[in-house]
Amino acid sequence: MNDDKPIQHSLSRREFVQGMTAATLAALASGQPHLLADESLPTPPPTADACILLWMAGGMAAPETFDPKRYTPFEVGVPSEQILCTFPAIDTAVDHIKISQGLENVARVMDRGTLVRSHVVADLGNILHSRHQFHWHTGYVPPQTVAAPHIGSWIARLLGPRNPAIPAFINIGQRLDGVGEAEELKAFTTAGFLGSEFGPFNLPFPNDAIAAVQPPKGMTPGRFANRERFLRKLVDESPAKNLASDYHQESMLRALGNAYRLLSAKERDAFDLTKESPESVEKYNTGRFGLGCLLARRLVESGARFIEVTTEYVPFLHWDTHENGHATLVEMKKQIDRPIAQLVLDLEQRGLLDRTLVIVASEFSRDMMIEGVPGSTASDQSRARTDVMKEMVHYGLHRHFTGSGSVLLFGGGMKRGFLYGETAPERPLLTTKDPVSITDLHATILTAMGISPKASFVVDTGETGLFGGPRVRKDHPRVETYGDVDELNAVIGLARCEPLDAGIDSLLATIQNDLFDLGAQLASPQPDRVGTQRITADHVAALESAIDRHESGLPPLTAFILPGGTRGAALLHLARTVCRRAERRLVALMESEPIASECLIYLNRLSDLLFVLARAANHAGGCEDVLWQSK
């Protein structure tokens, strides 16, 4: 599901939004994506049936959470470069693993999970949270030519729902309107080219989740059914309908049908937090994130497949610490510590942890001094720049760091009490052992869920790849030209299905192979580099010899002739007209791109040969040429 395209480093927020808007439109216009079936790819045995992603949106600093370094307490005058970490380390349930102060509850369940300290993400140049979150959630480096699906949508599409009444992909805690970078967030909170039915069911406020899955108070069954019909009519009349392919229109309607079924299903009680005891709510209730974890537990119990719970990304808030980082993280740890630990314990107590993969992750880490990685061109985005500590606003890790990070995984077949990877003990805090990329992490998640990491889809976006060259539009002059050559080959193949003279049939078989080589040559911007067969002067000479040989046995022409006679002759005349069109296309292409002149000469002589062969086919079949009659 991942791509390996070169990373575009210089991309502004406006360019990102513009690119993602175009990608969304391209996805709507695309047809049904087809899974590339490869019988050689074994399906891994699943170790998890459900996945909960706990997303620390904004860039959780690993040295302040799960990879503590040398601790330096705040003191006026301390050099900034001396500070690696602003919290002391604490012991955990695993002897050789320490984490940061403020995560005491998580420390007590560390023996149930794997801690990865060597997570590395791409240096995308300008640090834009939206770009890095897009990359992490989709596996694709932006910008893309078509909207890429969230990993939750991949899982929803490939595995389907565990319970048909419960959405397979549920997104909890993130507002997609009314916050900064809303459009950028929408760019990856989507099913993209997979279709709306596999997109997230968004619940920004977990304590109000029940309102999203029940009809308004006082709504009668009749009015409820009428409203559903009205909504379908609105979808049908939406301007997006004119932009969307049949597949995506149908996917929108299926998504609407799924939502309608949920509104009348008994399973909707899973969304109602008032069904929990006050004691249970209190264990989780540190705010929206904590209640989101409680809701996630209830939804997994009811059959949800993939759930993301986020601390919510809002620029310069929560984990996005550009100043006053230490004080902010004191509060953030209060929000996440108890709910994460309680979720693990509750799943374990209910016998669900072994089959539920719980992931704690973020788009990148943070550092006191380095923006990006050493040598990065990323601009310094700290709002608390200082050489020495002067006040508490300066105390914290205020720069984005991509050279290392931490990911925590519980349940779902992950090793217990296990530490993977290492980072340097002193700045720069780069990964020094067993790096884990986003691709590696996605492969781990998909494998645990029983999905081959190499699973991929083909999506028709109106582009095609040239042989050994770039992707271009399907109406590109080069594509039009080799398309005509391919059509010519097909018409000759059709003519050969007729009872032609053995000598003519043998000659046409040779020409078909030559045309295949010609098509490959035209499809290659650099045919010498990719090693395609070339049309040469020898090929042209062979055509001229064949013209002379077959024309010598025909009566001389005394008038213009029309296509017709035997069916074989008529098809050869059709091939001649397609050949002429291919020749005209090639003339136009050669105005803008370097093409060997032998290609054009070959098509010109081939059209003459096809004319002669059409006459020869009529002659061999005892049928006279069809003459043009002047008025």
Side-chain angles (χ1 to χ4, degrees):
M1 62 177 279
N2 306 84
D3 74 343
D4 296 315
K5 62 181 284 188
I7 294 172
Q8 181 178 340
H9 288 275
S10 180
L11 189 72
S12 69
R13 180 167 288 122
R14 175 176 293 181
E15 290 169 330
F16 176 80
V17 173
Q18 289 173 339
M20 291 301 99
T21 300
T24 299
L25 293 175
L28 274 176
S30 66
Q32 180 176 358
H34 296 285
L35 182 65
L36 283 179
D38 187 343
E39 295 180 359
S40 66
L41 291 180
T43 300
T47 57
D49 302 314
C51 179
I52 301 174
L53 171 60
L54 304 178
W55 186 246
M56 307 292 107
M60 175 185 70
E64 304 280 56
T65 51
F66 299 112
D67 190 11
K69 300 299 179 183
R70 173 174 43 80
Y71 165 58
T72 303
F74 176 79
E75 185 178 342
V76 173
V78 171
S80 299
E81 63 182 5
Q82 183 177 321
I83 297 175
L84 299 177
C85 175
T86 69
F87 292 88
I90 61 172
D91 292 331
T92 72
V94 183
D95 289 341
H96 62 285
I97 298 178
K98 293 182 182 294
I99 61 175
S100 176
Q101 183 187 69
L103 297 172
E104 285 76 13
N105 288 287
V106 174
R108 285 192 280 272
V109 297
M110 191 60 67
D111 56 341
R112 278 85 159 178
T114 287
L115 174 56
V116 176
R117 283 183 171 159
S118 52
H119 184 37
V120 292
V121 299
D123 177 15
L124 302 183
N126 293 334
I127 301 293
L128 295 178
H129 287 271
S130 46
R131 291 190 76 199
H132 285 83
Q133 291 193 74
F134 182 100
H135 187 197
W136 201 101
H137 283 90
T138 68
Y140 291 86
V141 174
Q144 293 290 318
T145 57
V146 64
H150 188 292
I151 188 174
S153 294
W154 276 91
I155 292 172
R157 166 62 179 82
L158 291 168
L159 296 182
R162 292 171 60 218
N163 180 339
I166 299 291
F169 173 18
I170 301 171
N171 188 43
I172 302 172
Q174 179 66 59
R175 289 169 289 173
L176 296 177
D177 291 295
V179 295
E181 300 184 32
E183 296 307 313
E184 293 93 321
L185 291 168
K186 292 175 185 176
F188 64 84
T189 311
T190 174
F193 60 75
L194 292 177
S196 301
E197 64 196 287
F198 304 110
F201 188 76
N202 292 310
L203 299 169
F205 298 97
N207 53 329
D208 292 335
I210 186 60
V213 295
Q214 64 184 10
K217 190 174 182 179
M219 177 74 67
T220 65
R223 286 182 61 201
F224 186 43
N226 287 337
R227 177 167 291 191
E228 193 264 346
R229 285 191 291 270
F230 178 68
L231 285 173
R232 285 182 174 273
K233 183 179 179 182
L234 285 179
V235 170
D236 189 59
E237 296 176 352
S238 168
K241 185 175 186 293
N242 297 324
L243 301 173
S245 66
D246 289 345
Y247 169 77
H248 282 280
Q249 291 180 42
E250 293 164 3
S251 186
M252 289 180 200
L253 292 174
R254 286 192 291 269
L256 185 60
N258 292 339
Y260 180 73
R261 281 193 297 275
L262 176 59
L263 289 171
S264 56
K266 61 180 176 55
E267 286 88 350
R268 72 185 187 193
D269 281 352
F271 294 81
D272 189 356
L273 293 185
T274 66
K275 302 291 185 181
E276 286 285 320
S277 68
E279 295 78 17
S280 178
V281 173
E282 180 59 28
K283 290 177 181 178
Y284 282 92
N285 192 7
T286 60
R288 282 167 60 201
F289 176 78
L291 293 177
C293 289
L294 174 58
L295 181 58
R297 191 215 75 203
R298 290 179 59 83
L299 292 170
V300 164
E301 288 180 282
S302 296
R305 178 72 72 182
F306 183 95
I307 304 167
E308 178 168 346
V309 184
T310 175
T311 54
E312 189 175 47
Y313 176 66
V314 181
F316 308 115
L317 294 180
H318 308 147
W319 295 106
D320 190 15
T321 53
H322 291 243
E323 60 186 346
N324 208 28
H326 176 83
T328 301
L329 261 62
V330 169
E331 296 305 314
M332 291 307 299
K333 290 178 180 181
K334 290 178 182 177
Q335 288 187 33
I336 71 166
D337 180 44
R338 188 153 42 93
I340 291 175
Q342 193 61 47
L343 176 62
V344 171
L345 292 172
D346 276 5
L347 291 172
E348 184 178 58
Q349 187 269 329
R350 287 162 170 77
L352 296 172
L353 184 60
D354 285 347
R355 302 296 298 183
T356 304
L357 177 60
V358 180
I359 308 158
V360 182
S362 189
E363 64 263 39
F364 42 63
S365 182
R366 291 187 174 271
D367 187 78
M368 172 64 84
M369 304 300 297
I370 299 173
E371 188 78 44
V373 289
S376 172
T377 59
S379 59
D380 186 354
Q381 298 186 43
S382 171
R383 292 180 168 183
R385 301 173 193 173
T386 182
D387 293 332
V388 297
M389 294 295 102
K390 299 173 184 176
E391 50 187 320
M392 281 298 294
V393 71
H394 298 133
Y395 190 51
L397 309 189
H398 301 139
R399 292 174 173 88
H400 314 92
F401 188 69
T402 59
S404 65
S406 294
V407 178
L408 193 53
L409 304 103
F410 294 99
M414 298 298 111
K415 293 182 179 180
R416 290 172 170 258
F418 186 66
L419 179 63
Y420 188 84
E422 293 180 5
T423 55
E426 295 291 334
R427 185 174 288 113
L429 303 178
L430 297 169
T431 292
T432 57
K433 181 182 178 182
D434 298 327
V436 176
S437 67
I438 290 175
T439 300
D440 297 330
L441 197 56
H442 280 197
T444 299
I445 296 168
L446 294 173
T447 299
M449 297 296 291
I451 299 170
S452 169
K454 295 184 179 180
S456 58
F457 287 86
V458 174
V459 183
D460 186 356
T461 61
E463 290 187 342
T464 189
L466 297 178
F467 188 30
R471 294 189 66 79
V472 296
R473 285 172 53 96
K474 289 184 177 179
D475 59 358
H476 187 280
R478 187 179 285 274
V479 179
E480 295 277 16
T481 304
Y482 71 69
D484 283 346
V485 171
D486 187 36
E487 182 182 348
L488 168 59
N489 207 336
V491 176
I492 291 175
L494 184 60
R496 291 186 62 207
C497 294
E498 299 299 318
L500 299 175
D501 173 81
I504 293 177
D505 184 71
S506 176
L507 175 59
L508 290 175
T510 299
I511 290 170
Q512 282 193 287
N513 280 279
D514 291 344
L515 287 174
F516 188 90
D517 292 338
L518 175 60
Q521 185 175 343
L522 294 175
S524 308
Q526 297 176 295
D528 291 333
R529 185 169 66 85
V530 296
T532 56
Q533 296 290 326
R534 303 291 297 271
I535 295 298
T536 67
D538 290 342
H539 293 90
V540 175
L543 295 182
E544 292 174 339
S545 175
I547 291 172
D548 294 340
R549 185 169 65 254
H550 286 278
E551 197 169 38
S552 65
L554 297 175
L557 276 175
T558 58
F560 293 112
I561 66 171
L562 302 177
T566 66
R567 179 176 171 82
L571 288 171
L572 288 170
H573 276 298
L574 176 60
R576 172 182 58 81
T577 64
V578 176
C579 187
R580 287 294 191 192
R581 188 197 329 138
E583 181 185 359
R584 293 192 297 273
R585 296 271 198 200
L586 185 53
V587 168
L589 178 63
M590 292 174 71
E591 290 291 322
S592 59
E593 300 200 31
I595 306 290
S597 61
E598 289 84 0
C599 296
L600 183 62
I601 299 171
Y602 180 88
L603 287 176
N604 178 269
R605 304 313 293 142
L606 177 58
S607 63
D608 288 347
L609 174 59
L610 290 169
F611 177 81
V612 171
L613 292 180
R615 292 192 66 212
N618 273 338
H619 185 70
C623 184
E624 294 185 357
D625 290 322
V626 180
L627 301 180
W628 170 70
Q629 302 292 330
S630 63
K631 294 182 180 179

